[in-house]
Amino acid sequence: QVRLVESGGGSVTAGGSLRLSCAASTSISSINAIHWYRQGPGKQRETVAHITSGGSTNYADSVKGRFTISRDNAKNTVYLQMNSLKPEDTAVYYCAALTIIWYWGQGTQVTVSS
């Protein structure tokens, strides 16, 4: 079983930055991929980015060039650096780990005001 705990959310004005963390209860080097998802108010959950155990990354078009996903295997933590934030980035951000099944964190709120 994998427990994921997100942190780092908060409120910022447009153009600001936040760094989200996703701390895992187990070695992330054994996890196939760790994803960041988000769900904005009245919207469906959408993928933001993911990073594989080999370090490959992928981003949603809406965040390319602004967000960076990274991992620190020694700390069993995955990060999401978010720069140039826009009001439309407002959402609850979740990390999820894909092993044989999916594990999800509880989410962290990000609010971007104009």
Side-chain angles (χ1 to χ4, degrees):
Q1 188 166 354
V2 180
R3 182 168 178 258
L4 303 171
V5 179
E6 302 97 333
S7 61
S11 297
V12 297
T13 56
S17 298
L18 286 172
R19 188 178 80 157
L20 305 184
S21 299
C22 172
S25 61
T26 189
S27 172
I28 62 172
S29 59
S30 63
I31 298 174
N32 298 329
I34 295 182
H35 297 242
W36 283 99
Y37 285 85
R38 67 185 181 186
Q39 187 165 16
K43 298 180 181 179
Q44 291 187 330
R45 186 172 57 195
E46 62 177 356
T47 186
V48 176
H50 78 261
I51 186 166
T52 69
S53 57
S56 298
T57 60
N58 195 47
Y59 298 91
D61 288 343
S62 59
V63 306
K64 279 182 182 176
R66 300 188 297 122
F67 291 11
T68 303
I69 189 170
S70 62
R71 61 195 293 157
D72 185 335
N73 289 346
K75 295 182 178 180
N76 293 323
T77 300
V78 171
Y79 302 99
L80 185 68
Q81 178 67 44
M82 307 187 296
N83 299 327
S84 302
L85 283 162
K86 303 175 181 180
E88 51 263 44
D89 295 318
T90 295
V92 178
Y93 284 71
Y94 301 89
C95 66
L98 175 60
T99 59
I100 297 174
I101 62 173
W102 284 96
Y103 294 94
W104 292 84
Q106 82 290 348
T108 186
Q109 176 70 46
V110 172
T111 302
V112 185
S113 59
S114 57

